[in-house]
Amino acid sequence: MTDTETEADDRPLLATRLDDLFKTVRPKGRHWTNAEVAEELKRANPELKVGGVYLSQLRTGKRSNPSPDLLAALARFFGVSVAYFFDDKVAESVLSQVAAIEALRQSGVRAVAMRAAGMKKENLAAITAIMDQYRQLQGLPPVTDSNDPE
């Protein structure tokens, strides 16, 4: 590996994309091991031949030719299109959506957003003003958003 290459560059595209799913997507709200995913896939598709070791080999690039049925099952499990494994634009879109969801989950923003859903504009404006005051008290920079309630 040269200095300009990354570990991901040495692996086949399928391996990096599958590994990204394992690292970033949380079906049922949690991270899954290779063995757990294999068991879930077999539970949903009893005829599917897959094990934790094989999934590990796919993720590292030691194996690189999964069956179309396995790819479809993995896509369903992780909630993505099969195109994710082959199309750069689809993969980029999926990973950016996952990153946004994870940021919301970690920061507690999701809970605030769920409570705000359906509220009147004037109520949202009042809540936003209160949040802005708390940000200022904590020394955080002001938030400028073109979608602020008016």
Side-chain angles (χ1 to χ4, degrees):
M1 181 176 349
T2 68
D3 289 342
T4 58
E5 290 178 325
T6 65
E7 177 187 345
D9 291 334
D10 287 346
R11 296 181 293 171
L13 185 59
L14 175 68
T16 57
R17 297 234 168 116
L18 181 59
D19 195 42
D20 285 344
L21 287 178
F22 269 87
K23 290 178 178 176
T24 59
V25 178
R26 293 183 177 193
K28 299 181 184 176
R30 67 180 190 88
H31 287 290
W32 294 72
T33 66
N34 295 323
E36 290 170 335
V37 171
E39 286 304 312
E40 287 293 313
L41 296 180
K42 287 190 284 190
R43 186 173 297 126
N45 309 286
E47 73 288 349
L48 199 60
K49 304 288 185 221
V50 62
V53 171
Y54 183 63
L55 289 178
S56 174
Q57 291 171 335
L58 287 174
R59 290 175 68 185
T60 60
K62 291 178 182 167
R63 300 288 296 269
S64 60
N65 196 19
S67 71
D69 289 342
L70 177 55
L71 281 182
L74 285 164
R76 274 191 307 276
F77 178 79
F78 285 107
V80 299
S81 163
V82 175
Y84 163 84
F85 293 111
F86 308 104
D87 185 307
D88 290 343
K89 287 183 181 175
V90 171
E92 183 178 321
S93 173
V94 165
L95 293 176
S96 68
Q97 290 172 16
V98 168
I101 290 167
E102 183 60 21
L104 292 174
R105 179 183 292 128
Q106 287 183 1
S107 65
V109 172
R110 183 173 176 256
V112 172
M114 289 182 70
R115 285 170 176 80
M119 295 181 85
K120 294 179 181 177
K121 279 187 177 183
E122 56 271 13
N123 294 2
L124 288 175
I127 292 168
T128 301
I130 292 168
M131 292 175 75
D132 287 343
Q133 289 175 351
Y134 275 101
R135 288 185 62 80
Q136 186 177 11
L137 288 172
Q138 292 181 18
L140 296 170
V143 173
T144 55
D145 181 7
S146 60
N147 295 325
D148 275 346
E150 299 178 30

